[in-house]
Every structure is written in C-alpha cells, then in structure tokens.
Amino acid sequence: MAAGAVSPRGEDGGRGERRSSRVAELAWLAPRGLHESLAMNAARSGYRVFSANSTAACTELAKRITERLGAELGKSVVYQETNGETRVEIKESVRGQDIFIIQTIPRDVNTAVMELLIMAYALKTSCARNIIGVIPYFPYSKQSKMRKRGSIVCKLLASMLAKAGLTHIITMDLHQKEIQGFFSFPVDNLRASPFLLQYIQEEIPDYRNAVIVAKSPDAAKRAQSYAERLRLGLAVIHGEAQCTEQDMDDGRHSPPMVKNATVHPGLELPLMMAKEKPPITVVGDVGGRIAIIVDDIIDDVESFVAAAEILKERGAYKIFVMATHGLLSADAPRLIEESSIDEVVVTNTVPHEVQKLQCPKIKTVDISLILSEAIRRIHNGESMAYLFRNITVDD
C-alpha cells in the first residue's frame, strides 16, 4: 500500500466507533428519559388533600383523614378580608393531580359554601385533573323540596358546585337520597350507621334490652333498619306533638285560597279535608327498656326533648339519641343537659367541640376511617362497593 494512503477499512472502522459510541449514548439516555417521564407521570397522577376552612375546629377532620392516608394536608390559605369577602390562595402546584377538598360546615353556613366554591374554582384554574369535594354534611339539604313560592335551594347549590369545577362529591347520609339526582356528576352517599351500630353494641350496657324509637313516622324506615340489624324491637311516636316536613305547605297550595273566589259554574272539585292529628301515642312497648331514638340530623332539639319526656312517661328507664349530623343549633346543649335524655351520640361530620364543653351528655363517633378509604379508592380507581356492603335503599 502506498505511503500516505488511508485504509478504507480504518476509515470505516472510525465511523463505526463513532456510531457505536452514539448508539451507546442513546441507549443510556433512553432509560433515563423513560424514568424521568415515569416520574413526571407519577407526580401528575398523584393526589392532594386540602381543607377549605383554616379554623382549627374545621381542620380537625381533615387532619384525621390525612393521617389515615399517610399524606400531608395541602398548603393553602383561606381567610376573610376586612370587607367580608373570602380569599383563597393555593400555595403549591396541583397541575394534573386529583384534588380532594374537605369542607365541614361550621356555624356560618354561607361562608363555608363560598370557601368551597372559591377553592374549587382556584384549583380548576390551576389545572387540577379532578376536583372531588368531601362534604360530610351537605348544606341546604333540608331545602330539597318546593315550599309555597320558595325554591329548591339544594339544587341551586348543586349547580353552583358543578360550575365551580367539582367533578365528584363524597358526602354522608343525605337528608333526602333523591338529592343525588340534582347533580350532573357522581355522588357517593356514604352511611354512618355501621359506626353508630358499633357504638350501640360496644358502649351501651345491656343493649339487648333496648328498643329502637322513631320520633315521627317519617323516621320509621331508618329506625326499622337499626332494629332489624340489632335484632331489637321497634317503637314509633305519632300524634299531635309532631310537626313534620310533609305537613308544611308546598307549591301545590299555590295560588293561595281567596275568600269569595269566582268558581266556574260547571266546575266542582272534591274538597280536600283538613288534617287533624290524633292524640299523641307510642306504637310499641318501651316500658322497662332502654329507648334509642335514631335520626339523621339533630339541629333544634325540642322535638327530641319532647319525645324523651313521652318515653319516660311510658316507662323507658334510659334514653339515648343517635344521629349522623350533630348541628346542635341555638340552645341545644342547654336543653339536652336539662332534659330526660341520658346521652346524645353524633359523628364528627360537623364540628361541635364547643357544644360538648357545654353539655357532657354529647358523645362523638369518628367517621374519618370511611372517608379516607373512599378517597383512596376513588384515586386508585377501585370499586366503592366494599363501602356499601349490606346497605339497602332504606338505610
């Protein structure tokens, strides 16, 4: 071979070495890029839990839930301006994540609703993937029917939550199960009855000698469910002392009756007779037994106090009141303390620490376990059927 000539083999070999090094570099970069992509996807598919209220009483349930989940509470600031406006600031990135907003309803219901709406909208504009509201006690649930010329406020609130950006709601023991139909997105209506039933079995001595009581015919289905699960008797209070929602006027009474109204000569409608309640009666035997009154909400306690007095007169020697939501408004703690009621048992869906200090008869059952499990299952895309085992329509 002539001097100074370049070997073709050597030239090809140089290109081959460079090509090999480039392939090795790409082979090294590919897994790293893949790992970075997986890490980014894992971050995007994560979840955060926020509290829509920054007061200590309202964040207590949120802290219990995050402790069970092994997560930290999301960083946010919720406060009231001097002019009364609500301001919400999200202090961390939520892009591409599932966000759960926990909102317990304190005394000021309207402020709590605005906090929830504003936080949901702030998360929506921050590109959160899904925004799930965890609202153990759903406000305005008693206003789910038409009253005279009023409005169905619960349906209005459902529309507002959807507009603000919520994509799912977890709640507990809706006052009327039909409220779920007001929403355009999924609603999981969890039940607190398993926790209350467990309390009865573990904390009430001689509960086998108890009878489950409905303080009005409207609560009879709930009471029947408790009685059948505990294998106990059932009693229902009925009579003139009761005032139920069915007795209130609704839109069908509109327009109101007018004296000397002109009637079409050929039109004669049958006259609806006015309701007249019979004297108060207790259907069922409560003599010498423990009476356990069950309901979904304890707000104004006058009806519960009146029911307790009647049961005492009929021979019940101990009286318990059990409900999911303990609103305990106005003078409820004082009235309970002065009444024949021995114990009031509610869950922590609504903050009531102040009321417990005023009345030692009030006891609390923690339901953070089922809420945390619902959050975990929704985030992981698992079935919620486990949380509704043996739950029927009447529960």
Side-chain angles (χ1 to χ4, degrees):
M1 183 176 291
V6 179
S7 171
R9 182 178 179 181
E11 186 177 356
D12 290 340
R15 286 199 298 270
E17 289 176 2
R18 288 194 298 271
R19 190 180 300 111
S20 298
S21 64
R22 180 61 177 166
V23 168
E25 182 182 359
L26 289 173
W28 177 79
L29 285 174
R32 187 177 70 170
L34 179 62
H35 293 155
E36 289 177 352
S37 175
L38 289 174
M40 289 177 65
N41 289 337
R44 287 175 182 171
S45 63
Y47 72 94
R48 301 294 292 166
V49 179
F50 287 85
S51 175
N53 193 304
S54 56
T55 60
C58 295
T59 56
E60 179 64 27
L61 180 60
K63 289 178 180 178
R64 287 176 179 265
I65 291 173
T66 51
E67 285 175 4
R68 291 184 180 276
L69 291 169
E72 294 183 358
L73 201 58
K75 298 175 183 177
S76 64
V77 177
V78 182
Y79 62 96
Q80 308 299 317
E81 297 276 13
T82 54
N83 61 359
E85 294 182 356
T86 300
R87 184 176 291 273
V88 175
E89 296 177 6
I90 308 299
K91 297 294 186 179
E92 59 182 295
S93 174
V94 296
R95 184 178 295 273
Q97 297 191 37
D98 292 336
I99 305 300
F100 294 86
I101 308 174
I102 300 173
Q103 179 63 311
T104 53
I105 306 299
R107 302 300 97 191
D108 191 350
V109 177
N110 295 328
T111 299
V113 169
M114 285 305 301
E115 289 170 346
L116 179 60
L117 291 171
I118 295 172
M119 178 168 278
Y121 190 68
L123 293 165
K124 177 183 178 182
T125 54
S126 298
C127 299
R129 183 174 65 174
N130 293 308
I131 304 172
I132 300 96
V134 183
I135 315 169
Y137 169 66
F138 195 80
Y140 288 99
S141 59
K142 286 188 175 182
Q143 298 190 46
S144 58
K145 297 179 181 179
M146 181 64 73
R147 304 296 181 201
K148 293 186 178 179
R149 292 186 177 86
S151 60
I152 305 176
V153 183
C154 194
K155 180 173 173 56
L156 171 63
L157 181 56
S159 302
M160 292 167 66
L161 292 172
K163 190 69 176 177
L166 263 67
T167 58
H168 198 139
I169 277 183
I170 302 170
T171 187
M172 183 165 282
D173 283 334
L174 287 170
H175 188 55
Q176 300 288 342
K177 296 178 181 64
E178 294 79 3
I179 291 174
Q180 290 178 269
F182 294 162
F183 294 87
S184 57
F185 49 78
V187 176
D188 287 312
N189 182 27
L190 304 176
R191 305 296 197 275
S193 52
F195 297 90
L196 296 175
L197 288 168
Q198 184 181 29
Y199 184 93
I200 293 173
Q201 293 173 314
E202 295 179 356
E203 301 297 332
I204 299 180
D206 196 23
Y207 82 92
R208 291 292 183 187
N209 189 37
V211 58
I212 305 298
V213 180
K215 70 180 180 66
S216 69
D218 296 338
K221 285 187 177 180
R222 182 183 300 273
Q224 181 182 358
S225 173
Y226 275 70
E228 290 176 352
R229 295 180 190 282
L230 293 169
R231 311 316 192 250
L232 299 177
L234 176 67
V236 180
I237 299 175
H238 176 58
E240 60 185 4
Q242 301 302 316
C243 180
T244 63
E245 289 183 350
Q246 275 72 14
D247 296 329
M248 298 172 64
D249 293 340
D250 58 20
R252 292 173 294 180
H253 291 266
S254 179
M257 295 181 63
V258 181
K259 292 182 179 181
N260 301 324
T262 304
V263 180
H264 192 277
L267 181 64
E268 290 187 9
L269 295 175
L271 179 65
M272 175 64 76
M273 297 184 66
K275 287 184 178 180
E276 183 177 344
K277 288 191 175 182
I280 195 159
T281 56
V282 178
V283 182
D285 182 20
V286 297
R289 296 191 178 187
I290 301 171
I292 304 175
I293 305 172
V294 297
D295 213 332
D296 62 330
I297 298 174
I298 300 179
D299 191 0
D300 297 325
V301 299
E302 286 85 354
S303 60
F304 292 94
V305 172
E309 294 295 334
I310 295 164
L311 294 171
K312 276 288 185 183
E313 293 174 2
R314 298 298 193 277
Y317 71 90
K318 209 166 189 180
I319 299 170
F320 290 80
V321 175
M322 311 199 75
T324 303
H325 310 295
L327 304 185
L328 303 169
S329 303
D331 293 331
R334 179 182 61 81
L335 294 174
I336 293 171
E337 187 66 25
E338 297 173 355
S339 72
S340 302
I341 299 172
D342 293 281
E343 196 168 283
V344 173
V345 183
V346 293
T347 71
N348 55 345
T349 56
V350 177
H352 54 266
E353 294 304 317
V354 175
Q355 288 86 342
K356 287 180 69 174
L357 294 175
Q358 297 172 353
C359 177
K361 291 182 179 181
I362 301 172
K363 308 297 180 183
T364 306
V365 175
D366 181 27
I367 44 80
S368 61
L369 175 63
I370 191 171
L371 293 175
S372 60
E373 181 62 14
I375 290 173
R376 190 192 67 80
R377 286 176 175 271
I378 288 174
H379 171 65
N380 293 334
E382 300 177 19
S383 172
M384 297 286 284
Y386 178 79
L387 304 182
F388 293 93
R389 293 174 303 166
N390 301 322
I391 297 294
T392 64
V393 176
D394 294 332
D395 289 328

